[in-house]
Amino acid sequence: MPLARQPPMIVGNWKMHGVTADLAEMGVIARELLERPTSTEVVICPPATLLATASRCLDGTGIATGGQDCDAKGQGAHTGGVSAAMLVDAGARYVLLGHSERRRLDRETDVDVAAKAAAAFRAKLRPILCVGESAAQRQAGRTLAVLRRQVLRSCPPEAGAGRLTVAYEPVWAIGAGATPAPADIEAAHATIREALCRRYGDASASIRVLYGGSVDGANAAQLLQIAGVDGLLVGRASRRAVQFLPVVRAGETAPPPLDYLPTD
Ligand code: PGA
């Protein structure tokens, strides 16, 4: 059966930045994209405190919102916890999970990430699940083995592959102003795709694999030309319209991913 082509997905991750005044930047992005609509799928993940307001601001603009984490449990005595259903209630359609900052600073394991992704699926939220090797793992030549292991252990077995997105984010490239060589990104994405195919079979064809780590308006178009790159996850360059919009526009000229070309 021919598979539908999917447009590139551009995701902005505001991390722990932003107060109400910064929503003005979101307004600028929304106005620009309403005036000149984009063929890319745009998602913005603000901090939890801004999520409900951001979702209201962006309602009807075609830009979706996402949380930056969720709890593995549905509800209960967990002070400070935010469940997947709460994110949905705040208007989110997506949730970032397993970001390397959470894996490192909050000691999240692959098992924790899989439990959170399963919770997201149950709440009908779409997880954007991050994987990526550290500098030490890269130097030891273990990049592809690490990625394979993270995908197989962090992606839950639950049926729901159609709602999953994976983001390859080399830990050493995040916020560093450096990206891997195109051939290395291509190899990483091919390995992730193979692991997703092992995990989900044919259903894995609908999973987009994004690249993240020092993406900006200057390198976005080139990154999107790399085979297997179905979109971008953007940190620093996502919080200001003047930086984020060029990344979104770069997605409009990206070739459709070969995996999704019709077969007949
Ligand atoms: P960066 O962050 O674009 O600032 O490197 C990306 C991320 O951590 O998601």
Side-chain angles (χ1 to χ4, degrees), residues 13 15 99-101 169 173-176 212-215 233-237:
N13 173 13
K15 307 193 180 185
H99 191 282
S100 64
E101 287 150 15
E169 293 210 306
I174 293 174
S214 294
V215 173
L233 176 52
V234 191
R236 266 184 314 177

Side-chain angles (χ1 to χ4, degrees), residues 1-9 41 161-166 189 192-193 196-197 201-210 224 226-231 254-264:
M1 196 180 64
L3 295 161
R5 290 185 191 198
Q6 298 193 84
M9 182 190 239
E41 197 172 327
R163 295 203 305 278
L164 181 66
T165 300
V166 172
H189 278 242
I192 291 168
R193 173 84 35 220
L196 287 170
C197 194
D202 287 349
S204 65
S206 63
I207 302 175
R208 277 181 286 205
V209 182
L210 317 182
L224 285 163
I226 298 170
V229 174
D230 305 324
L258 282 179
D259 295 319
Y260 307 125
L261 287 175
T263 50
D264 61 2

Side-chain angles (χ1 to χ4, degrees), residues 58-180:
L58 296 176
D59 191 30
T61 66
I63 304 173
T65 58
Q68 296 181 9
D69 181 46
C70 75
D71 206 276
K73 297 204 182 69
Q75 59 179 1
H78 183 183
T79 302
V82 175
S83 73
M86 290 170 184
L87 296 179
V88 172
D89 185 53
R93 285 183 50 215
Y94 292 87
V95 60
L96 290 171
L97 291 176
H99 191 282
S100 64
E101 287 150 15
R102 296 204 60 87
R103 289 180 186 262
R104 187 165 44 91
L105 303 171
D106 296 272
R107 298 180 188 280
E108 282 186 10
T109 64
D110 289 330
V111 173
D112 297 331
V113 176
K116 290 177 174 204
F121 281 156
R122 283 195 295 277
K124 307 266 186 283
L125 204 53
R126 296 169 166 263
I128 301 170
L129 202 150
C130 305
V131 296
E133 82 286 1
S134 66
Q137 289 166 332
R138 178 176 186 245
Q139 273 148 25
R142 291 176 46 220
T143 298
L144 301 183
V146 166
L147 295 177
R148 211 172 283 122
R149 190 203 67 216
Q150 286 184 342
V151 169
L152 292 174
R153 293 194 187 160
S154 309
C155 294
E158 271 89 338
R163 295 203 305 278
L164 181 66
T165 300
V166 172
Y168 168 52
E169 293 210 306
V171 180
W172 54 272
I174 293 174
T179 56

